[in-house]
């Protein structure tokens, strides 16, 4: 493939940025190919809020489009590393850096990744393939939606054909009632109210003689 063809193909890629704190990825940004410059600052209103990096001015021109991809400007206190075609990151040689006064920049071409490091922070930059990923994700999502719809529609039909019959439901209800009665009898036995009360004896049922009232003219001597 000619250099001109590669340049034309690179123009269709955006810029993908990932911010890591140690090994934890904290932020992700993706910029469309139409955005020719990416500005960074320690401000949420900026296109790329870049906290923790030493920036000479704000907003700081972090990247701009070129014919081959992107030109990435390195903050003065940062170390820049490159990974080619998935290899491990290695420091960018001095010969591959471009200097313009106090500014240092590095070319980011396709299949390469750059990493800017300062302290525990690391900013990864690579070409974005959002368009290709979006198409593949869209087809995959349609497949999942179709499978979910088929499963959802199959549930009522399966219930009608595989659901319990009237006889099985009656047997289940009978077992439930029997178990409830057994639990009730066990509870009554535990409380001691499962035996009938002792009958009252005939002597206890005789009427009491009561208290007789003496006439007023009678006395006790």
């Amino acid at each position: 493939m000619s250099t001109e063809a590669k340049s034309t193909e690179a123009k269709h890629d955006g810029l993908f940025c990932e911010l890591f704190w140690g090994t934890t990825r904290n932020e992700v940004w993706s910029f469309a190919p139409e955005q020719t410059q990416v500005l960074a600052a320690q401000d949420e209103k900026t296109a790329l809020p870049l906290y923790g990096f030493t920036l000479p001015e704000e907003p700081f021109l972090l990247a701009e489009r070129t014919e081959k991809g992107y030109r990435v400007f390195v903050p003065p206190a940062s170390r820049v590393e490159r990974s080619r075609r998935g290899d491990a990151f290695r420091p960018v040689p001095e010969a591959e850096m471009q200097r313009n006064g106090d500014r240092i920049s590095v070319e980011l071409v396709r299949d390469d990744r750059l990493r800017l490091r300062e302290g525990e922070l690391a900013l990864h930059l690579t070409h974005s393939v959002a368009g290709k990923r979006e198409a593949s994700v869209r087809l995959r999502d349609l497949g999942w939606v179709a499978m979910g719809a088929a499963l959802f529609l199959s549930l009522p039909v399966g219930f009608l054909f595989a659901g319990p019959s009237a006889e099985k439901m009656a047997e289940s209800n009978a077992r439930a009632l029997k178990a409830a009665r057994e639990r009730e009898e066990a509870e009554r036995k535990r409380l001691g109210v499962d035996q009938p009360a002792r009958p009252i004896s005939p002597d206890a049922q005789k009427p009491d003689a009561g208290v007789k009232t003496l006439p007023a003219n009678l006395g006790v001597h």
Side-chain angles (χ1 to χ4, degrees), residues 8-212:
T8 304
E9 190 176 2
K11 289 181 180 179
H12 295 285
D13 294 337
L15 184 65
F16 186 68
C17 304
E18 300 172 283
L19 180 63
F20 287 82
W21 176 273
T23 58
T24 303
R25 187 173 69 173
N26 291 343
E27 296 287 347
V28 173
W29 301 274
S30 182
F31 301 96
E34 295 78 14
Q35 189 165 345
T36 58
Q37 292 186 339
V38 176
L39 301 178
Q42 297 185 12
D43 187 353
E44 291 294 335
K45 298 180 181 179
T46 314
L48 199 155
L50 195 59
Y51 296 97
F53 281 82
T54 304
L55 304 178
E57 71 270 355
E58 294 188 12
F60 173 72
L61 178 59
L62 181 68
E64 63 180 2
R65 288 203 59 84
T66 64
E67 289 296 324
K68 296 181 180 180
Y70 281 91
R71 180 180 296 113
V72 177
F73 294 90
V74 183
S78 300
R79 305 186 305 275
V80 57
E81 302 169 334
R82 187 194 303 276
S83 169
R84 294 188 182 277
R85 299 182 181 276
D87 293 341
F89 282 99
R90 294 181 176 84
V92 176
E94 185 71 23
E96 297 181 9
M97 298 183 184
Q98 301 176 5
R99 295 182 180 272
N100 185 6
D102 296 335
R103 289 182 174 272
I104 300 176
S105 61
V106 179
E107 290 291 332
L108 175 63
V109 297
R110 295 197 68 184
D111 300 326
D112 284 3
R113 298 172 64 194
L114 290 179
R115 181 168 67 181
L116 304 178
R117 303 187 62 178
E118 184 171 344
E120 294 294 325
L121 294 173
L123 181 65
H124 294 210
L125 302 98
T126 184
H127 282 265
S128 173
V129 289
K132 298 177 183 178
R133 290 177 181 172
E134 182 181 357
S136 61
V137 169
R138 188 180 297 113
L139 293 176
R140 183 182 60 186
D141 290 346
L142 289 176
W144 281 112
V145 170
M147 291 177 60
L151 179 61
F152 178 77
L153 293 176
S154 65
L155 288 177
V157 178
F159 179 79
L160 291 176
F161 286 98
S165 61
E167 292 79 4
K168 291 184 178 180
M169 293 182 64
E171 293 177 1
S172 178
N173 292 337
R175 286 195 299 268
L177 291 175
K178 182 180 179 181
R181 285 195 298 268
E182 291 176 353
R183 288 195 299 269
E184 182 180 358
E185 292 175 0
E187 183 66 15
R188 291 173 61 87
K189 185 176 181 180
R190 186 183 68 84
L191 297 175
V193 296
D194 58 323
Q195 299 295 333
R198 186 174 58 184
I200 301 175
S201 62
D203 295 338
Q205 295 180 357
K206 291 182 179 180
D208 191 1
V211 179
K212 294 183 179 180

